[in-house]
């Protein structure tokens, strides 16, 4: 495994996770762990019973913004949930020697981002805004009702009818908030 550099904001540098030395200072046993920050956060948040929705970092990696959700919780994420996750992540990030200045934990909000295929299935029937990486039929932006995912394609009902969009071509997708 190679050593990762700090220039990639989602990966922290390889560091020793354990080791010992002979009495004369010669190296006896040493191992390195390359771990992706997103993987570390996902494992920790999932272990607490929450879903890791998204992670944002400031350009220099000094602020970590973590968005969590719990599908079966009535009323959504509250302050107690954010506090619980924040306390646990603070401990884990300290133990793993992740360098940051501020950790922010939040609910995904009413305009939740959709990233995984499971998100597109879960929110089937909801109105979404979606942007493609590469245009399809001269169009990159779509607004419509989500019909779900079938054979790796996201299905939407838009003003011109039903469209199927390649999941891998989706740049951003968000729920459109409904206010009653």
């Amino acid at each position: 495994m190679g050593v990762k550099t700090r220039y990639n904001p989602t990966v922290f540098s390889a560091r020793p996770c354990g080791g010992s030395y002979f009495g004369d200072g010669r190296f006896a046993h040493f191992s390195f762990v390359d771990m992706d920050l997103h993987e570390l956060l996902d494992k920790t948040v999932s272990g607490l019973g929450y879903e890791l929705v998204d992670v944002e970092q400031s350009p220099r990696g000094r602020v970590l913004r973590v968005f969590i959700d719990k599908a079966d919780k009535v009323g959504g994420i509250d302050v107690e949930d954010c506090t619980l996750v924040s306390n646990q992540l603070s401990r884990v990030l300290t133990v793993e020697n992740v360098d940051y200045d501020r950790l922010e934990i939040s609910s995904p909000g009413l305009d939740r981002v959709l990233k995984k295929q499971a998100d597109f299935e879960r929110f089937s029937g909801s109105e979404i805004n979606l942007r493609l990486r590469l245009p399809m039929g001269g169009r990159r932006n779509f607004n419509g009702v989500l019909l779900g995912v079938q054979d790796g394609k996201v299905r939407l009902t838009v003003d011109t009818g039903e469209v199927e969009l390649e999941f891998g071509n989706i740049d951003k997708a968000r729920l459109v908030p409904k206010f009653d």
Side-chain angles (χ1 to χ4, degrees), residues 77-93:
I77 297 298
D78 57 26
V79 174
E80 287 79 22
D81 296 316
C82 293
T83 303
L84 174 74
V85 172
S86 177
N87 289 338
Q88 186 65 25
L89 283 178
S90 294
R91 290 182 193 109
V92 169
L93 295 172

Side-chain angles (χ1 to χ4, degrees), residues 107 121 125 135 159 170:
S107 73
E121 286 296 333
D159 52 353
I170 296 174

Side-chain angles (χ1 to χ4, degrees), residues 5 14 21 26 32 40 42 47 53 57 60 63 65-66 81 85 95 111-112 139 147 150 162 168-169 171:
T5 63
Y21 294 87
R26 288 184 300 133
F32 287 95
L40 177 68
D42 188 33
V53 175
Q57 283 186 286
R60 294 189 182 174
V63 177
R65 219 168 268 119
V66 178
D81 296 316
V85 172
V95 167
D111 63 340
R112 176 200 166 110
R139 187 173 173 185
L147 300 175
Q150 185 176 7
E162 190 175 313
N169 190 26
D171 186 33

Side-chain angles (χ1 to χ4, degrees), residues 39-50:
E39 181 184 337
L40 177 68
L41 295 172
D42 188 33
K43 186 176 180 180
T44 306
V45 170
S46 299
L48 293 171
Y50 297 93

Side-chain angles (χ1 to χ4, degrees), residues 5-73:
T5 63
R6 286 291 296 150
Y7 297 109
N8 182 344
T10 60
V11 178
F12 59 90
S13 300
R15 60 169 194 73
C17 67
S20 59
Y21 294 87
F22 292 115
D24 60 2
R26 288 184 300 133
F27 181 72
H29 170 72
F30 210 76
S31 60
F32 287 95
V33 174
D34 287 342
M35 184 174 276
D36 181 76
L37 179 59
H38 191 275
E39 181 184 337
L40 177 68
L41 295 172
D42 188 33
K43 186 176 180 180
T44 306
V45 170
S46 299
L48 293 171
Y50 297 93
E51 173 194 0
L52 180 64
V53 175
D54 199 11
V55 177
E56 294 178 356
Q57 283 186 286
S58 63
R60 294 189 182 174
R62 305 308 302 162
V63 177
L64 290 175
R65 219 168 268 119
V66 178
F67 298 91
I68 61 170
D69 198 7
K70 195 167 194 174
D72 57 349
K73 184 168 182 184

